[in-house]
Amino acid sequence: MIRENADAYDDSCYKHCISSCRIPGLCNNFSTAATLLRIARDELRVDLIADGSQIVEEFYSLLQNIESYMVEAAAGGVKVCDKFIVEIEGLDGSGKTTLCQSLTDAINEMLQGREKLNKPKVRVMATKTPSRCLKKIRPLWDHRGGILARAFYMISNYVLEYEICTQISDDVKVIIIDRWYASTLAYTVAYNDDNKNNDEINITSLSEQIFEWPRDLLIPDLLLILNIDPVVRRQRVERRKAEGSGASQFNPWDDRLSQDLQLGSRILQALSRITKGPKRVADLDANASMQGVLRETLGIFIPAYEKYAYPQEYFRDKPLDWWKYECSVEGGFGLCEDDGSGKQCRHVQRNFQIAYHHDNNDHATAEGVRKNSTVPVLKTVVLDRINSECIYYWTPSSSILSRQENFSSSSFLRMASCLWTTGDYPTKQQWRAEGFITRVTSYEQELFRYDPPLASLFAHIRGSAIAAENSGDGDDDATDGGIIEQNTANSNLPRPTRQKDYNNIVEKSRQEADESSICVVRFVPLRVEVFRGSPSSRMTGYPQQWEWVRTKDRSTRENDDERQGQQNWDMRSTLQSTTSAMTGPFAPLIYNQLGITLVLTGCHASGKTTIGKALAKILGWTFEPELGEILRQNDMLQPGGHMYGDGSGLSDQNGNKDLWDDRIFLEEVHRDLESSKNISSHCRVVETWHVGNAKWYALRQKANGADIDIERYKTAVINHQAASVVLLVNLNLPSSSVMLDRRKAGQEDGLTSVQKRLPLKDEEKECEELYQALQLDCSDEMLTSSNIPMIQIENGDDGPEAMERTLKSILLFLQRNYHRRLDRVQ
């Protein structure tokens, strides 16, 4: 083999060129790798291949063309590539080449249907690294080995990018790549030529920065990693060798993988750690059949491509999901997860701006003159997470305290607008939204594990707030002018400088780490708009502008099939807002501000009181318990007395058994009226309410053989809906036996607290009767007449975990309905 002479080469003269690289031989940019190859030109053994001198000349000419392309792209500030790039990675023998071809054929066949719908023709192309133009020169660099071979494979990544951006036709919209930079990185990290003890390499202990994607290389939209059993892989490689196919004859990786049984595992570990690059990474089981792997791949590819190519269709009813998608993929930032897992990704920092009036005190007098108006405050805050209904961000607690309203209460809201930009010219995006903000309480932060930003960012958030508070507050030690002060040493060259003690403030904030000084704020959008691209870009299909506004619900039942995957938004495409266009759902937004009445219903012992108190604490709202618990005289309760209303087992002195239900009804209406006096900020959690009271009334009337008329309850519900958003949480139990067990729980001597509140004659029989009578479903007459948004919660389990699960479900339901607090009137 010609390979035996490669050991005569000495890499020591090149190591100073890559001394800044974190891993020897891993060049993380084009310039370093190209410089190495130019220096080593004379070392190539041109005699090893036919027409060697000409092939080497062509290679260096290509290198010069790529460098010119890179310089031009850098001068423009961004590389424009309108192709969806899929990178397939894995060990030799895992099926990469087979998958590339079968996936290309499957996608081409799938996209043919678009042509029948008169949509633009789209083609898919498969390629690989090193590309075909490097096939003849590759053996020379493989023969050379060491640092220079690694530099060659690094350059091959840029060669492929150059071909994609300059040579592939416009109708090719999907590029499937067999190996790209991910292989260059993983193989270099997992195997060190100078390290005789490669088995000691610990991939998990290496710095995250090592696995960052090069900033000057295109980013793939999808990275697929094929995982395979070592025995299966070896069998495939041996079969491939017997057939005479495979990589370059000088490629030593098959032998290295055979000799080092852990090398394959280290390579796959390195592939899985690649960050700040691929917009999505997915693992595939390469042990399955070719058809099975293809099916799994298409299941990942299709939604990913639809989001990329047709976001306006994929996210038509989900603007915030589109927004979140752009936050997650642009620049590889990645938002925090919103599933309550507590997993923290990198925050998209300091590029989210919020504007609002510092006071909600902008009123017109009888003469039409507005008094006490304020200029909207524009603040740069730290975006934390986005879900389908809300946006969450961090800000100093002091910055959102109103002068006349206690904004620390989560029931208080303030109108606001926000702005977020991403990308670079000519594909830059600008997202705007109008809505309202409310503060998230510390209890809700803890429940959903909304962890504060990193310590350094936390310190600057707090430091900025302290500096702003100190400016102009009358303190002799405070610097007038806040964070920025004017350097007047040279009046002709004024230069703004940071306040002299700002660093001290930040350092003090870092040491004290008082998390109460910053808080999470919830932004609930009512209108969303995105502007994509620039008119001067001359790119096909750009610019684009899309707008969404909230609409009435298609369904108010959380378990309705028609609601699944749908949000309450109207969408339109517009590039210019005109007076004639501002009609219908897109007319100017004018709203009435409402409070929220969160109603908990359910049969006896379903957990209404326990959960209601916990919710009120988490939300910072008022808790109003069941009126029957408040009004009945506990010292007069008799077993079975609930059938007479007040629990005494006796009718009133006039023999009228209906007065108790009349009293409960009037008291509930009175509570409604009291809560409506401050509808702009009053939010409450109410146990049972008119919906549950009607159930108790019907139970007693039926037992006494009297007529049942719930019209007054229905009217009361509808009347209150004009003054407050009513949301219903129905707590279900699987059977009456759960009610019976909970009544007995904790019993030692005498009655439990639950049994004392509702004594029964025959526990088992009456629990079954209560269970049947007080259960609530979506077809109930009380609900169909008022169209109350409702969620059914199965609450038959006990314990802290079950409690947390129930609370999260209710709060997520509440998030989906926060927007109702502003009732559109025009």
Side-chain angles (χ1 to χ4, degrees):
M1 294 285 290
I2 302 174
R3 174 68 186 165
E4 63 185 6
N5 294 326
D7 294 335
Y9 290 109
D10 182 10
D11 275 347
S12 61
C13 61
Y14 301 108
K15 290 185 177 179
H16 73 280
C17 297
I18 57 171
S19 58
S20 61
C21 297
R22 294 184 174 88
I23 296 293
L26 181 60
C27 307
N28 59 357
N29 60 74
F30 172 83
S31 179
T32 302
T35 299
L36 282 171
L37 297 188
R38 286 194 176 101
I39 295 174
R41 178 170 182 168
D42 293 339
E43 292 193 28
L44 290 177
R45 291 279 304 276
V46 296
D47 59 306
L48 298 181
I49 57 176
D51 301 322
S53 297
Q54 181 181 347
I55 292 171
V56 170
E57 184 66 31
E58 291 172 353
F59 171 74
Y60 282 98
S61 177
L62 173 63
L63 199 62
Q64 182 61 43
N65 291 337
I66 296 173
E67 185 170 48
S68 299
Y69 156 78
M70 297 289 292
V71 171
E72 183 178 351
V78 67
K79 298 176 182 178
V80 179
C81 179
D82 60 348
K83 306 183 190 306
F84 187 85
I85 300 176
V86 180
E87 178 182 357
I88 298 181
E89 293 289 355
L91 302 175
D92 290 343
S94 60
K96 298 184 304 302
T97 304
T98 302
L99 178 60
C100 281
Q101 191 56 56
S102 60
L103 182 61
T104 300
D105 295 340
I107 297 173
N108 272 322
E109 182 179 351
M110 178 183 68
L111 294 178
Q112 284 180 358
R114 293 185 56 82
E115 298 178 33
K116 298 178 182 179
L117 298 174
N118 295 322
K119 293 193 175 183
K121 182 180 179 181
V122 176
R123 289 200 303 118
V124 184
M125 190 184 85
T127 185
K128 65 179 181 179
T129 56
S131 58
R132 292 178 181 176
C133 69
L134 301 177
K135 182 178 181 180
K136 295 180 179 179
I137 191 74
R138 178 182 181 183
L140 299 187
W141 293 113
D142 279 344
H143 174 261
R144 174 57 180 80
I147 291 175
L148 297 180
R150 296 185 187 277
F152 166 77
Y153 282 102
M154 183 65 190
I155 286 297
S156 72
N157 298 307
Y158 293 93
V159 172
L160 183 56
E161 176 189 322
Y162 175 71
E163 293 176 341
I164 291 173
C165 293
T166 64
Q167 300 177 9
I168 297 178
S169 62
D170 292 339
D171 63 338
V172 175
K173 296 300 184 182
V174 180
I175 306 290
I176 300 176
I177 305 174
D178 181 354
R179 291 196 189 282
W180 204 16
Y181 173 73
S183 276
T184 306
L185 184 151
Y187 278 75
T188 303
V189 168
Y191 183 86
N192 188 344
D193 292 316
D194 294 336
N195 189 350
K196 303 304 181 182
N197 299 315
N198 277 285
D199 57 337
E200 297 179 2
I201 297 176
N202 186 351
I203 301 296
T204 59
S205 66
L206 297 177
S207 169
E208 183 178 335
Q209 294 177 323
I210 292 173
F211 300 92
E212 294 178 359
W213 196 266
R215 296 184 179 182
D216 59 351
L217 183 66
L218 275 181
I219 296 174
D221 299 275
L222 181 60
L223 170 61
L224 301 174
I225 302 174
L226 289 163
N227 292 294
I228 189 170
D229 182 86
V231 176
V232 176
R233 189 200 71 81
R234 191 66 232 169
Q235 291 173 348
R236 292 181 182 178
V237 171
E238 294 297 336
R239 184 167 60 249
R240 187 176 66 184
K241 282 186 176 181
E243 295 171 354
S245 60
S248 166
Q249 60 178 318
F250 303 117
N251 191 335
W253 287 104
D254 278 348
D255 292 336
R256 290 172 180 171
L257 287 166
S258 299
Q259 295 168 9
D260 184 350
L261 299 180
Q262 296 301 314
L263 177 57
S265 175
R266 294 198 301 272
I267 291 172
L268 292 174
Q269 277 185 317
L271 287 171
S272 67
R273 288 201 60 191
I274 294 177
T275 60
K276 290 188 179 180
K279 298 174 183 178
R280 185 183 173 187
V281 180
D283 292 320
L284 300 172
D285 180 10
N287 299 301
S289 65
M290 182 182 72
Q291 293 79 7
V293 175
L294 179 59
R295 281 195 301 270
E296 184 180 5
T297 304
L298 286 173
I300 297 170
F301 168 82
I302 291 174
Y305 181 69
E306 288 179 347
K307 290 178 185 179
Y308 164 84
Y310 318 111
Q312 68 274 17
E313 296 178 13
Y314 188 89
F315 297 108
R316 183 174 186 84
D317 297 316
K318 300 169 286 188
L320 289 188
D321 286 350
W322 186 358
W323 195 335
K324 179 180 179 179
Y325 170 74
E326 296 296 347
C327 286
S328 300
V329 301
E330 286 296 332
F333 286 116
L335 288 176
C336 299
E337 297 296 327
D338 56 3
D339 60 359
S341 66
K343 176 183 176 182
Q344 288 285 315
C345 302
R346 291 171 301 282
H347 294 283
V348 181
Q349 299 173 354
R350 312 303 275 180
N351 64 339
F352 184 74
Q353 295 178 310
I354 194 85
Y356 55 84
H357 285 274
H358 201 287
D359 293 318
N360 274 7
N361 194 26
D362 188 7
H363 304 294
T365 65
E367 294 79 17
V369 178
R370 291 191 177 273
K371 295 186 176 181
N372 301 322
S373 298
T374 59
V375 176
V377 178
L378 180 65
K379 292 185 175 293
T380 301
V381 294
V382 180
L383 181 61
D384 184 87
R385 69 193 68 208
I386 299 176
N387 60 30
S388 297
E389 296 293 339
C390 307
I391 300 172
Y392 294 83
Y393 65 87
W394 291 88
T395 191
S397 300
S398 58
S399 69
I400 61 170
L401 292 177
S402 172
R403 297 188 184 94
Q404 299 187 9
E405 300 277 2
N406 182 13
F407 193 59
S408 61
S409 169
S410 66
S411 63
F412 182 79
L413 62 84
R414 178 180 290 129
M415 303 302 294
S417 60
C418 68
L419 173 68
W420 183 80
T421 59
T422 186
D424 297 290
Y425 175 86
T427 58
K428 188 173 184 177
Q429 297 185 34
Q430 183 183 89
W431 288 81
R432 299 190 291 260
E434 290 81 42
F436 63 88
I437 56 176
T438 62
R439 181 169 180 169
V440 177
T441 67
S442 58
Y443 297 105
E444 186 176 349
Q445 290 180 39
E446 181 179 357
L447 180 67
F448 284 98
R449 298 175 179 87
Y450 294 162
D451 295 332
L454 300 176
S456 59
L457 184 59
F458 166 86
H460 280 278
I461 293 175
R462 180 55 185 152
S464 298
I466 294 174
E469 292 170 1
N470 289 343
S471 63
D473 61 358
D475 190 338
D476 292 337
D477 294 330
T479 302
D480 191 17
I483 299 175
I484 301 297
E485 61 182 12
Q486 191 73 22
N487 185 344
T488 57
N490 186 334
S491 58
N492 295 323
L493 295 172
R495 179 168 58 90
T497 60
R498 194 189 301 195
Q499 186 177 350
K500 60 185 179 182
D501 58 349
Y502 178 74
N503 288 339
N504 294 332
I505 294 174
V506 171
E507 185 58 33
K508 183 178 180 181
S509 299
R510 191 192 312 275
Q511 294 173 357
E512 294 178 352
D514 181 11
E515 294 183 3
S516 65
S517 62
I518 62 173
C519 68
V520 180
V521 177
R522 177 188 294 109
F523 176 83
V524 183
L526 303 171
R527 192 191 76 90
V528 178
E529 183 179 37
V530 59
F531 189 86
R532 307 175 75 210
S534 169
S536 61
S537 65
R538 299 181 181 178
M539 291 180 62
T540 304
Y542 286 88
Q544 300 173 348
Q545 188 169 359
W546 306 93
E547 179 184 12
W548 296 261
V549 294
R550 294 272 190 181
T551 62
K552 296 295 183 181
D553 286 346
R554 296 180 176 89
S555 171
T556 57
R557 301 293 175 260
E558 288 292 307
N559 57 347
D560 277 3
D561 292 337
E562 66 182 65
R563 181 180 172 86
Q564 299 303 315
Q566 296 183 357
Q567 301 297 328
N568 305 309
W569 296 93
D570 274 335
M571 176 189 180
R572 70 171 178 175
S573 172
T574 176
L575 289 177
Q576 183 177 3
S577 298
T578 62
T579 303
S580 60
M582 304 296 284
T583 59
F586 298 96
L589 306 181
I590 301 177
Y591 293 91
N592 285 330
Q593 187 171 318
L594 306 175
I596 295 181
T597 298
L598 183 62
V599 179
L600 297 180
T601 60
C603 59
H604 174 60
S606 60
K608 299 186 297 296
T609 303
T610 302
I611 292 173
K613 290 180 178 179
L615 282 172
K617 180 179 180 180
I618 291 171
L619 295 168
W621 294 0
T622 303
F623 175 67
E624 298 182 356
E626 183 177 305
L627 278 172
E629 294 285 341
I630 299 174
L631 298 179
R632 65 170 60 104
Q633 299 180 35
N634 293 333
D635 57 347
M636 298 181 61
L637 298 182
Q638 298 293 326
H642 60 279
M643 299 307 297
Y644 292 89
D646 65 355
S648 65
L650 303 172
S651 65
D652 73 296
Q653 58 183 359
N654 297 320
N656 189 340
K657 299 177 181 179
D658 295 334
L659 289 183
W660 174 255
D661 290 308
D662 293 343
R663 182 184 178 189
I664 292 291
F665 173 78
L666 294 175
E667 289 289 344
E668 199 72 80
V669 171
H670 177 70
R671 286 205 305 194
D672 291 344
L673 293 174
E674 288 296 312
S675 70
S676 301
K677 290 180 180 179
N678 188 17
I679 61 172
S680 65
S681 62
H682 187 73
C683 296
R684 57 180 182 149
V685 180
V686 185
E687 183 182 357
T688 305
W689 200 54
H690 295 295
V691 178
N693 293 339
K695 284 288 186 179
W696 280 103
Y697 160 76
L699 169 66
R700 284 187 277 266
Q701 291 294 96
K702 182 178 180 180
N704 296 325
D707 294 335
I708 300 175
D709 183 3
I710 63 171
E711 285 302 316
R712 63 177 180 177
Y713 296 100
K714 292 159 61 175
T715 301
V717 170
I718 294 172
N719 288 341
H720 192 59
Q721 283 180 305
S724 175
V725 177
V726 179
L727 305 175
L728 183 62
V729 177
N730 189 56
L731 301 173
N732 290 319
L733 297 181
S735 66
S736 61
S737 61
V738 177
M739 182 192 307
L740 189 62
D741 291 341
R742 288 181 176 177
R743 284 178 60 81
K744 296 177 180 179
Q747 184 177 25
E748 295 179 0
D749 298 326
L751 300 175
T752 65
S753 59
V754 180
Q755 291 172 329
K756 290 178 181 178
R757 292 200 307 270
L758 186 65
L760 302 176
K761 292 180 180 179
D762 186 329
E763 288 278 333
E764 186 170 345
K765 176 184 177 182
E766 293 183 72
C767 278
E768 178 63 26
E769 291 174 351
L770 289 173
Y771 177 79
Q772 296 295 335
L774 301 179
Q775 288 285 79
L776 190 68
D777 59 47
C778 297
S779 61
D780 193 278
E781 183 181 356
M782 281 290 295
L783 303 180
T784 57
S785 63
S786 55
N787 204 30
I788 301 174
M790 172 185 174
I791 184 173
Q792 298 276 7
I793 300 289
E794 299 301 324
N795 198 44
D797 296 331
D798 296 320
E801 291 184 1
M803 180 69 163
E804 180 176 323
R805 188 166 56 247
T806 295
L807 291 173
K808 285 184 176 179
S809 297
I810 296 173
L811 290 172
L812 291 174
F813 165 67
L814 182 59
Q815 285 183 18
R816 292 190 289 271
N817 289 278
Y818 263 121
H819 66 274
R820 299 173 184 272
R821 291 198 60 186
L822 293 185
D823 183 33
R824 189 169 181 179
V825 296
Q826 179 176 329

